Amino acid sequence: MLIFVVSALLLGAVIYDIVSHRLPNYYLLLGLIVGFAWQAWTAGWGGVISGGAGLLTGFALFFPLYALGGMAAGDVKLMAVVGSFLGVTGTLWAGAYSLMVGSILGILYLLCKGHLGKFVVRYWLSATARTLISADENDAARHRFPYAIAIAAGTLLSQYWTPF
């Protein structure tokens, strides 16, 4: 039953992110309320504590990426909301899978746009010169990426395929 609730929340987030490139705070707050209500209903106060720990875990996983400019704040908040449903361990797995799926989708996007080579060369030069070389204005690496897709896919993948 949990997977259906989380799937519905993530489907809505994906639609919002694709259409508007934003994840509205009211939607994320609704997800957070549902997550804590779910935890309270299924496990009482222990579930609420688990949901809070999962929320903090999801936030802590993605906040460094936001701080470095690689992710939007809505994506960090969405991972925190997912954490309120899954608890700490589930959030760690969902976050790991989300990062893997996001990396694969990003590489595929750059490959489809024909910019993967430019991306690799630019970051290789940045690493060897130890200075940031920014992407051109029309470079595909500067396009907005609806990361809710990766969070949704990674979360669902973590619910069905976790090694432990």
Side-chain angles (χ1 to χ4, degrees), residues 83-102:
S84 72
F85 282 94
L86 302 182
V88 173
T89 304
T91 304
L92 288 171
W93 281 109
Y97 282 118
S98 296
L99 291 170
M100 285 187 266
V101 169

Side-chain angles (χ1 to χ4, degrees), residues 53-73:
L55 173 117
L56 293 174
T57 302
F59 184 82
L61 276 175
F62 280 16
F63 183 76
L65 298 173
Y66 166 73
L68 293 171
M71 184 173 287

Side-chain angles (χ1 to χ4, degrees), residues 36-83:
F36 277 111
W38 178 270
Q39 290 285 9
W41 182 52
T42 58
W45 284 110
V48 172
I49 292 169
S50 174
L55 173 117
L56 293 174
T57 302
F59 184 82
L61 276 175
F62 280 16
F63 183 76
L65 298 173
Y66 166 73
L68 293 171
M71 184 173 287
D75 300 322
V76 176
K77 293 182 273 188
L78 179 61
M79 194 67 222
V81 169
V82 167

Side-chain angles (χ1 to χ4, degrees), residues 19-38:
V19 171
S20 67
H21 294 287
R22 297 193 66 230
L23 294 171
N25 285 334
Y26 67 86
Y27 186 77
L28 296 170
L29 180 61
L30 174 66
L32 187 62
I33 291 168
V34 171
F36 277 111
W38 178 270

Side-chain angles (χ1 to χ4, degrees), residues 66-155:
Y66 166 73
L68 293 171
M71 184 173 287
D75 300 322
V76 176
K77 293 182 273 188
L78 179 61
M79 194 67 222
V81 169
V82 167
S84 72
F85 282 94
L86 302 182
V88 173
T89 304
T91 304
L92 288 171
W93 281 109
Y97 282 118
S98 296
L99 291 170
M100 285 187 266
V101 169
S103 298
I104 291 167
L105 290 175
I107 289 169
L108 289 174
Y109 179 75
L110 289 173
L111 190 61
C112 287
K113 292 291 187 176
H115 290 214
L116 183 62
K118 285 175 31 177
F119 174 81
V120 170
V121 168
R122 185 177 59 254
Y123 280 96
W124 181 79
L125 289 173
S126 290
T128 56
R130 293 189 178 149
T131 184
L132 180 64
I133 299 172
S134 298
D136 296 334
E137 192 63 37
N138 58 352
D139 196 341
R142 295 192 77 149
H143 294 174
R144 297 183 73 119
F145 181 75
Y147 206 80
I149 297 169
I151 294 172
T155 299

